Amino acid sequence: MTKPVTPHRSDFARSEETTRQQRNQLASNLKRHKAPNEALLARRRTLLRWAKWVLPGTALLLLVSIAIWPEVDRLIHAGSASLRDLTKIHVENGSLVGATYRSVDEHNRPFMITAQSVHQIDQERMDLVSPVADIINQGNNWVIVSSRKGVYMQHANLLDLTGEVTLYRNDGLMIRSPVADINLKQGVIASDMWVRAEGPFGVLDAKGFVLSQHDGIAQFRGPGRIILNDDHKTDTPEGKSS
């Protein structure tokens, strides 16, 4: 009968000193990796609770930003366009050059004032050089009034024009006067000095006029003179003289 052979294992042939060192090393590893205490567990639970809210919230914020980005991009480009427009306007010696003002009247019809230059006197008054007022009246008809100088009272929406005032209406009516006052909110243009009106009807000279854009009335103050092109076929401008 053959005697069984005991396998030779090198790890079983350790000395007592080697075994003691390995046990000490395992003990030190266990000390370094000791179980967390209650305070550490509480902090970890708090972090987990915050993560449950912060991570979904961050994801939602990213989705919202992706959804609204086209609108943000449009606003950015619109702001860039406005900045490009502003670069065309510059200030020289306290005056704004190439100014444009837009608003609407009491009937929500737009009007626009442009000027070669604007010098702001105070919070209310602005002095204009070569002002032009572009006004839309009833029926989407338009009136353009220009002069050499003007004073614009911003909050009251009053425009006082002086120096070769010229009014042109799209029906062919042209009025000239040394001065004119415009109430832009009410759409009323008036002058208390001599005035000459020309149009398809003929020529009219008067001492003043009032033109109401919203009512469609032109009133001329006498004494005056009117020369008609054809008294039988052509009507005078809508309105009356007094």
Side-chain angles (χ1 to χ4, degrees):
M1 182 176 181
T2 305
K3 185 178 180 179
V5 178
T6 303
H8 179 72
R9 298 268 310 260
S10 60
D11 54 345
F12 287 163
R14 293 176 297 180
S15 64
E16 293 183 0
E17 179 64 22
T18 302
T19 303
R20 184 179 59 79
Q21 291 177 357
Q22 290 178 348
R23 288 176 178 175
N24 291 336
Q25 185 177 2
L26 288 174
S28 63
N29 289 337
L30 289 175
K31 290 180 181 179
R32 286 198 300 267
H33 300 285
K34 61 181 179 179
N37 54 26
E38 289 297 328
L40 183 58
L41 290 174
R43 285 197 297 269
R44 290 180 178 178
R45 285 193 294 267
T46 302
L47 289 175
L48 288 174
R49 284 197 298 269
W50 276 101
K52 290 180 181 179
W53 291 99
V54 171
L55 293 178
T58 304
L60 180 61
L61 182 61
L62 289 174
L63 291 175
V64 172
S65 64
I66 292 172
I68 67 174
W69 176 251
E71 182 66 19
V72 173
D73 184 66
R74 186 188 67 80
L75 292 175
I76 291 174
H77 283 81
S80 300
S82 299
L83 288 176
R84 286 194 299 270
D85 292 339
L86 287 175
T87 57
K88 301 176 182 178
I89 302 175
H90 58 282
V91 177
E92 293 181 355
N93 298 327
S95 297
L96 186 64
V97 178
T100 301
Y101 177 78
R102 293 181 176 88
S103 187
V104 294
D105 59 19
E106 60 185 12
H107 295 277
N108 205 33
R109 298 189 181 104
F111 65 85
M112 179 177 66
I113 302 172
T114 59
Q116 180 179 331
S117 64
V118 176
H119 183 69
Q120 186 159 1
I121 304 302
D122 51 35
Q123 294 292 333
E124 176 68 8
R125 173 175 172 167
M126 291 185 289
D127 290 349
L128 314 179
V129 176
S130 298
V132 177
D134 192 344
I135 306 168
I136 302 295
N137 56 25
Q138 62 178 359
N140 289 326
N141 297 317
W142 51 265
V143 174
I144 294 178
V145 189
S146 62
S147 67
R148 289 188 299 174
K149 296 181 180 180
V151 175
Y152 179 51
M153 308 302 289
Q154 184 174 3
H155 296 94
N157 279 307
L158 298 176
L159 181 61
D160 298 332
L161 302 175
T162 57
E164 300 179 5
V165 178
T166 301
L167 179 151
Y168 183 76
R169 200 166 64 180
N170 65 326
D171 61 359
L173 176 65
M174 179 181 292
I175 298 176
R176 292 187 175 92
S177 179
V179 299
D181 300 326
I182 305 177
N183 188 320
L184 294 164
K185 277 295 183 183
Q186 298 179 3
V188 176
I189 307 172
S191 176
D192 58 356
M193 297 188 68
W194 67 264
V195 56
R196 166 161 287 198
E198 302 177 14
F201 68 94
V203 179
L204 185 150
D205 293 322
K207 293 293 184 180
F209 78 96
V210 175
L211 183 64
S212 176
Q213 300 297 303
H214 303 318
D215 298 329
I217 296 175
Q219 182 175 357
F220 297 88
R221 182 169 59 87
R225 181 186 66 170
I226 184 171
I227 301 175
L228 300 177
N229 289 335
D230 190 337
D231 195 21
H232 298 286
K233 297 181 181 180
T234 305
D235 295 332
T236 58
E238 184 179 1
K240 62 181 180 178
S241 60
S242 58

